[in-house]
């Protein structure tokens, strides 16, 4: 299995150059990178064509035959015209993406449509975008070419993975288990099964993490959500990661309160920072009231604001 290809790419994108030398050796052609908006439009058109021309094995999920493995399988409508197209089953989520997330400084902000399929919802709860999840997955291009996958359960912390992938995972619910099989393996039952079809702006965009994944390529992930760690606290600062999404946009990696005071070589978003405001006092000590971490009726932490300026102590370095 090769899980590293899913991991969020933080490095600057590399500009592709195509060169041709003439007899004088001074003729060079530079291919400019695609913009976020033009790529989004192209990707969405390709995804819609895929959804209109393909189906999945929905009948098996509706009435599971004996021994059914609950795996999603896609097929061409031209091979079985009686089937219903994927457009009848997918749902959509619009996610705004800034080009700065890919190292661009052109100021683009573009809405991207994420398409997701819930083949089996699952019987448990849904993880949040800030949780650790135990799952299995398979990644492919629109043409069906596989580039990655897992044959056994993996533990993944969602903020560390592709934005479109993570947003697809949270649409599903967990199952029951684990159950020891007696051979060193475990199994789960009644877990959520789905797929996410996403534009490259929610994936690698202009980057090509491997020869199997071209730049600007839309991606498909089939996902089984087996279990998850509720209220995951990745950095151990006492705050569940999901509550460290300060701006509430579903992207934990762009919330970094102490950007201006951190060394230039370091970028630690709040969900991975034990001192969110870089004031020398650990976050876990600044969120306590009378020596305890207190929560409201919804289970959310009540953050103290000692100086009453509207900024909680753990995000206020001049408190």
């Amino acid at each position: 299995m090769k899980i590293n290809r899913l991991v969020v790419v933080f490095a600057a994108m590399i500009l592709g150059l195509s060169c041709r030398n003439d007899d004088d050796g001074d003729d060079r052609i530079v291919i400019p990178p695609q913009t976020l908006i033009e790529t989004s439009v192209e990707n969405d058109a390709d995804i819609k064509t895929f959804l209109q021309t393909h189906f999945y094995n929905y009948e098996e999920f509706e009435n599971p035959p004996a021994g059914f493995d609950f795996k999603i399988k896609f097929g061409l409508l031209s091979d079985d015209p009686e089937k219903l197209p994927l457009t009848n089953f997918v749902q959509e989520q619009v996610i705004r993406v800034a080009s700065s997330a890919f190292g661009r400084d052109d100021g683009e902000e573009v809405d991207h449509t994420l398409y997701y399929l819930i083949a089996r919802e699952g019987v448990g709860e849904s993880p949040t975008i800030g949780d650790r999840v135990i799952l299995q997955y398979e990644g492919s291009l629109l043409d069906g070419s596989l580039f990655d996958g897992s044959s056994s359960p993996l533990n993944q912390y969602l903020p560390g993975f592709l934005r479109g992938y993570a947003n697809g995972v949270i649409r599903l619910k967990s199952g029951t288990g684990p159950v020891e099989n007696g051979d060193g393996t475990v199994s789960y039952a009644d877990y959520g099964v789905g797929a996410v079809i996403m534009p490259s702006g929610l994936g690698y965009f202009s980057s090509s993490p491997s020869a199997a994944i071209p730049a600007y390529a839309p991606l498909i992930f089939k996902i089984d959500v087996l279990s998850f760690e509720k209220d995951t606290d990745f950095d151990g600062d006492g705050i569940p990661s999901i509550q460290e999404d300060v701006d509430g946009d579903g992207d934990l990696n762009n919330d970094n309160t102490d950007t201006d005071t951190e060394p230039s070589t370091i970028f630690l978003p709040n969900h991975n920072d034990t001192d969110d405001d870089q004031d020398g006092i650990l976050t876990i000590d600044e969120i306590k009231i009378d020596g305890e971490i207190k929560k409201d009726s919804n289970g959310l932490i009540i953050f103290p604001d000692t100086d009453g300026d509207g900024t909680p102590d753990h995000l206020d370095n001049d408190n």
Side-chain angles (χ1 to χ4, degrees):
M1 72 189 72
K2 299 178 180 178
I3 65 172
N4 59 309
R5 294 174 189 164
L6 273 173
V7 178
V8 176
V9 178
F10 291 108
M13 304 298 108
I14 298 175
L15 177 66
L17 298 177
S18 176
C19 303
R20 175 181 60 83
N21 292 329
D22 62 10
D23 293 339
D24 298 326
D26 60 357
D27 190 13
R28 174 175 292 181
I29 300 173
V30 178
I31 300 178
Q34 293 182 200
T35 65
L36 195 59
I37 182 62
E38 69 177 315
T39 304
S40 173
V41 171
E42 291 175 2
N43 283 180
D44 195 62
D46 290 340
I47 291 172
K48 285 178 176 176
T49 297
F50 176 85
L51 297 175
Q52 293 163 357
T53 57
H54 288 74
F55 67 93
Y56 87 103
N57 52 331
Y58 57 88
E59 293 168 322
E60 290 183 304
F61 278 91
E62 292 170 355
N63 298 288
F68 180 47
D69 60 3
F70 291 95
K71 297 297 183 185
I72 293 174
K73 298 179 179 66
F74 294 129
L76 279 167
L77 280 172
S78 57
D79 294 334
D80 198 340
E82 298 298 318
K83 301 293 186 183
L84 297 175
L86 280 166
T87 49
N88 286 42
F89 300 96
V90 296
Q91 300 177 63
E92 301 177 12
Q93 177 188 2
V94 176
I95 300 174
R96 195 157 187 82
V97 179
S99 61
S100 58
F102 300 101
R104 300 281 182 92
D105 59 3
D106 53 19
E108 276 193 301
E109 290 190 9
V110 180
D111 285 341
H112 287 66
T113 301
L114 178 75
Y115 298 87
Y116 61 94
L117 167 70
I118 300 176
R120 183 172 72 173
E121 186 177 40
V123 298
E125 297 180 71
S126 295
T128 73
I129 203 72
D131 287 333
R132 290 185 183 274
V133 182
I134 297 175
L135 48 70
Q136 297 179 154
Y137 75 91
E138 178 184 276
S140 67
L141 305 180
L142 293 184
D143 65 6
S145 302
L146 298 180
F147 59 78
D148 204 357
S150 63
S151 57
S152 58
L154 300 172
N155 189 321
Q156 296 181 340
Y157 178 54
L158 292 183
F161 291 81
L162 298 176
R163 194 172 178 189
Y165 172 84
N167 275 274
V169 170
I170 65 175
R171 295 294 174 175
L172 299 167
K173 295 181 178 180
S174 60
T176 60
V179 174
E180 298 285 346
N181 296 324
D183 58 359
T185 63
V186 298
S187 59
Y188 297 81
D190 301 321
Y191 49 83
V193 180
V196 58
I197 304 97
M198 64 192 207
S200 63
L202 295 174
Y204 296 109
F205 187 45
S206 57
S207 176
S208 180
S210 76
I213 305 176
Y216 309 112
L219 305 175
I220 298 175
F221 289 100
K222 299 174 183 177
I223 303 165
D224 300 338
V225 174
L226 310 176
S227 183
F228 71 98
E229 177 188 337
K230 191 171 183 178
D231 291 332
T232 298
D233 177 8
F234 182 71
D235 56 7
D237 66 355
I239 307 176
S241 295
I242 190 60
Q243 281 193 253
E244 302 213 62
D245 182 14
V246 180
D247 57 12
D249 67 350
D251 182 2
L252 276 64
N253 292 307
N254 64 4
D255 298 280
N256 188 14
T257 302
D258 54 10
T259 301
D260 294 337
T261 54
E262 284 180 342
S264 60
T265 56
I266 295 177
F267 184 90
L268 289 178
N270 292 356
H271 72 95
N272 190 28
D273 191 344
T274 56
D275 180 6
D276 291 331
D277 57 3
Q278 197 75 12
D279 64 353
I281 304 173
L282 294 177
T283 294
I284 196 168
D285 294 324
E286 291 193 281
I287 63 174
K288 293 178 180 178
I289 300 175
D290 298 328
E292 297 180 359
I293 298 175
K294 298 186 177 182
K295 300 181 179 181
D296 63 19
S297 59
N298 295 315
L300 300 177
I301 294 176
I302 301 173
F303 296 119
D305 178 12
T306 304
D307 59 8
D309 66 352
T311 302
D313 291 354
H314 72 289
L315 302 179
D316 190 352
N317 64 9
D318 64 355
N319 177 57

